[in-house]
Amino acid sequence: MRLLKHPQALAAGSLAAILLATLGLAGCKPKEGAYKATEAVSAYARDMSDAAGRATSKAGERLGLVDKKWDYVRLAWEASPKPPASAPAYEFEDEREAGRALIAEFIARFGKLRDDAVERYLNHVAAGLAAYSDRPSAPVCVVVLSSEDRRAWGLPGGYLLVTIGALRCCESESEAAGLLGAAIAMANQKCVLSRMAEQQAALLPESAAKRATELSDEDFAKVVQATATSLIKDGVAEADVRASDRTATDLLVRLGYEPGGLKAWLARVQVKRQQESAGKPLKDYGAFKTRDTTINERLAELHAPSVGRSIADRWRRDCSAHLPAAKF
Amino acid sequence: MTARRFMARLHTLRIPWVTMVLVVLCAGFVAAESAALFMRIRSAPVRSKPSLKDGGQDGVLYAGQQVQVIDRSKDGDWVKIRFTHLESSQPSDTKAETVTEKGQKEGWVHATLLSEKAPALEAPAAARWLETGGESLRKKASADAPSKADAYAAARKVDAKVLSELEQRYPTADELDKFLREGRLGVYRDDWPSLEGGVTK
């Protein structure tokens, strides 16, 4: 009661309590080393992941990395673009079910390459990229289509499609990794799942709110076929391609592949297309240019070096040597 | 006079100063102990020493698994962690797969593999497929009730077995680790960045 009558004593008492509490907190750290370690790792993780959405060419400067060009890997861990809010909310099992049906449709249309060595090798490359992606626990499965087109798609549930023609344009593992990385990014951003929802809304407006996997077998078949046709005919939206190219470049950097792997693959495709067009200007020259610019911008943002692991020997030994001769 | 009223209330409740101080100390201890980080990639070996070359492997850490940091190497690139050693059981036709905790373990991982935020997970941490690959991916399809995708594949004259074989190509954690090591990729890359600057030795 005496304390309450004297405000000075009350203030002194409170101060003593705060001092005691502070000392107590310091004393209760489990271990000085542990505390510092957690702090350092947390700060590092913050640098890498909390800069999401702020990745500009100034990013390196902000983090003080302009003179530390070795540290491009940190920037490549900045969060990749998330699937748009409008993307259908599928459970992972449903996503895999939709992807599996689409795979069956593509195999039915194009046929697939049957070669154990190539399949095993490409699945290892893709699994490595997926392991370092923003969905590290999502499995991936690569299917090589018997088509001379030069294309790749990332379907729902981690099913990746790549054509023999696209693989023929690769000259090293880093180029194949760039191609597969873009497909993984496409799958993670749910581009094809969104396309499937659009097709479903157009074909079956009364069931637009349902998941494709909840439809009757007949309706499900209609949606799968329409989605495959749309992907083959129109490809994916330009914005999705740009986002996939950026993420693929990040994945190459995270793993230590040559950062320009995808860029090199695109350049080879362009050269082949130019040769085939017998000197006529390419209709999709603009698309090549846009993709090249996108990758260049990302490489500049990351301060990525021009060299990395291209791994051409393993590529030749385990994949390109097993590809069937081109049909012309 | 809010402070005076608060003190008067404490006095009536007969809560001594010592108790209050003890409560604050306990809260501090809990906060310091619960600082946790998460594994950001699919899987990585936990080493007995802060090096990829020296020492052996003390377990495997899987995506999203939570760890407590207990120490840091001199160069700052490796952290000693305490983690729950998980073991998944072999699923059979009758039993669902289970993941059991096999006690706490300690070991070293490269600091850059840890993140403050848990990554997006398709399955609980240490789901079987992260460890055993494609073998655990596909549920045994029932001939009486094929899945929607399998029924569709059959209608398009694509053998569901072909699809299952494709899924089985997803490598195990060991196979992937060997592949990355051979290519000097991922955590085995030569220029893995250091926390303190430069590249990891």
Side-chain angles (χ1 to χ4, degrees):
Chain A
M1 286 305 285
R2 201 182 300 161
L3 255 181
L4 296 177
K5 284 176 189 167
H6 300 280
Q8 293 91 341
L10 178 66
S14 309
L15 265 176
I18 291 166
L19 192 67
L20 261 171
T22 315
L23 284 172
L25 278 172
C28 281
K29 281 179 210 165
K31 197 177 172 186
E32 185 71 6
Y35 182 74
K36 277 186 181 170
T38 312
E39 278 291 289
V41 178
S42 298
Y44 184 86
R46 265 198 302 275
D47 273 359
M48 291 198 290
S49 53
D50 284 2
R54 289 181 282 132
T56 65
S57 56
K58 294 275 178 194
E61 212 172 297
R62 198 183 58 247
L63 295 176
L65 301 179
V66 170
D67 297 324
K68 298 178 184 174
K69 296 195 175 177
W70 48 266
D71 215 359
Y72 52 91
V73 183
R74 266 185 215 217
L75 293 174
W77 273 109
E78 285 180 340
S80 304
K82 298 276 180 288
S86 58
Y90 276 43
E91 292 293 321
F92 188 60
E93 275 304 313
D94 285 337
E95 217 183 294
R96 282 183 64 76
E97 201 65 8
R100 203 170 149 90
L102 277 166
I103 279 280
E105 178 59 29
F106 274 88
I107 292 176
R109 291 191 190 199
F110 294 100
K112 71 175 266 300
L113 175 75
R114 284 175 182 272
D115 188 297
D116 278 358
V118 172
E119 281 178 359
R120 195 181 317 115
Y121 172 75
L122 290 175
N123 274 288
H124 275 71
V125 175
L129 293 160
Y132 283 71
S133 75
D134 290 351
R135 285 177 83 178
S137 69
V140 285
C141 168
V142 183
V143 179
V144 183
L145 295 177
S146 298
S147 163
E148 290 298 333
D149 279 355
R150 298 169 190 116
R151 306 180 76 174
W153 294 274
L155 303 182
Y159 291 95
L160 313 178
L161 288 169
V162 58
T163 60
I164 292 183
L167 293 177
R168 284 193 212 287
C169 292
C170 300
E171 287 199 0
S172 66
E173 189 172 306
S174 64
E175 292 176 22
L179 182 64
L180 292 171
I184 289 172
M186 203 186 284
N188 287 355
Q189 285 157 30
K190 304 190 178 181
C191 307
V192 175
L193 214 51
S194 300
R195 179 68 61 86
M196 208 168 183
E198 285 166 22
Q199 297 295 327
Q200 188 180 326
L203 288 169
L204 311 159
E206 69 286 356
S207 315
K210 283 184 181 173
R211 292 175 189 164
T213 45
E214 291 170 343
L215 300 172
S216 68
D217 285 357
E218 198 182 327
D219 288 346
F220 180 66
K222 276 184 201 166
V223 172
V224 169
Q225 285 179 14
T227 307
T229 305
S230 159
L231 286 173
I232 294 163
K233 196 174 149 219
D234 308 325
V236 290
E238 196 186 308
D240 290 335
V241 173
R242 279 204 306 271
S244 302
D245 287 349
R246 285 175 65 88
T247 307
T249 304
D250 287 357
L251 291 178
L252 293 178
V253 170
R254 288 180 192 181
L255 271 116
Y257 280 117
E258 190 178 11
L262 181 59
K263 182 181 157 70
W265 178 81
L266 273 171
R268 285 186 213 289
V269 173
Q270 196 178 351
V271 167
K272 289 210 173 180
R273 292 284 305 279
Q274 199 71 62
Q275 286 167 349
E276 288 160 5
S277 71
K280 287 179 191 166
L282 288 180
K283 278 183 193 168
D284 49 2
Y285 174 78
F288 278 111
K289 187 78 186 155
T290 309
R291 291 186 72 179
D292 190 61
T293 308
T294 304
I295 297 169
N296 282 341
E297 280 171 7
R298 188 60 186 149
L299 290 172
E301 285 167 10
L302 298 175
H303 303 282
S306 55
V307 290
R309 304 269 302 130
S310 59
I311 322 185
D313 294 349
R314 186 159 75 176
W315 162 255
R316 279 194 286 270
R317 186 191 69 205
D318 294 346
C319 191
S320 72
H322 300 267
L323 293 178
K327 298 171 201 163
F328 289 110
Chain B
M1 295 296 272
T2 320
R4 188 169 287 189
R5 275 188 197 162
F6 177 69
M7 296 306 297
R9 179 84 180 140
L10 281 182
H11 186 77
T12 10
L13 288 173
R14 296 183 186 281
I15 297 175
W17 280 87
V18 180
T19 314
M20 282 176 65
V21 170
L22 274 175
V23 168
V24 171
L25 292 184
C26 289
F29 184 75
V30 169
E33 269 291 325
S34 61
L37 296 171
F38 300 90
M39 176 68 166
R40 69 160 82 229
I41 64 169
R42 174 182 159 178
S43 61
V46 179
R47 310 288 303 174
S48 58
K49 287 183 179 174
S51 161
L52 282 171
K53 290 167 190 163
D54 305 331
Q57 190 171 322
D58 258 359
V60 180
L61 211 56
Y62 293 100
Q65 209 172 326
Q66 197 172 331
V67 302
Q68 299 285 335
V69 177
I70 51 175
D71 206 353
R72 191 176 174 197
S73 64
K74 278 180 190 168
D75 62 7
D77 296 333
W78 290 80
V79 280
K80 191 171 191 182
I81 53 157
R82 187 179 296 132
F83 66 105
T84 308
H85 177 53
L86 300 169
E87 200 172 276
S88 50
S89 67
Q90 186 70 37
S92 66
D93 288 343
T94 50
K95 282 185 179 175
E97 66 184 61
T98 52
V99 179
T100 46
E101 293 189 4
K102 289 280 176 184
Q104 297 277 306
K105 275 190 138 189
E106 287 182 6
W108 295 85
V109 289
H110 199 278
T112 46
L113 302 181
L114 302 176
S115 160
E116 274 194 320
K117 288 179 192 164
L121 290 181
E122 268 57 54
R128 248 188 100 68
W129 74 63
L130 295 180
E131 182 190 347
T132 57
E135 186 194 302
S136 310
L137 261 180
R138 192 71 197 150
K139 288 176 198 162
K140 283 195 171 69
S142 158
D144 301 331
S147 73
K148 202 171 270 291
D150 287 348
Y152 180 76
R156 296 291 281 134
K157 296 189 169 46
V158 175
D159 192 349
K161 260 189 191 171
V162 172
L163 301 181
S164 294
E165 279 168 18
L166 284 168
E167 286 165 335
Q168 302 240 335
R169 298 271 184 225
Y170 182 59
T172 64
D174 286 345
E175 286 168 348
L176 182 62
D177 192 60
K178 193 181 160 201
F179 182 79
L180 295 176
R181 188 190 291 262
E182 187 188 291
R184 304 210 312 276
L185 295 167
V187 71
Y188 300 106
R189 59 185 294 165
D190 301 327
D191 59 343
W192 195 248
S194 157
L195 288 180
E196 300 296 325
V199 292
T200 302
K201 306 289 183 298

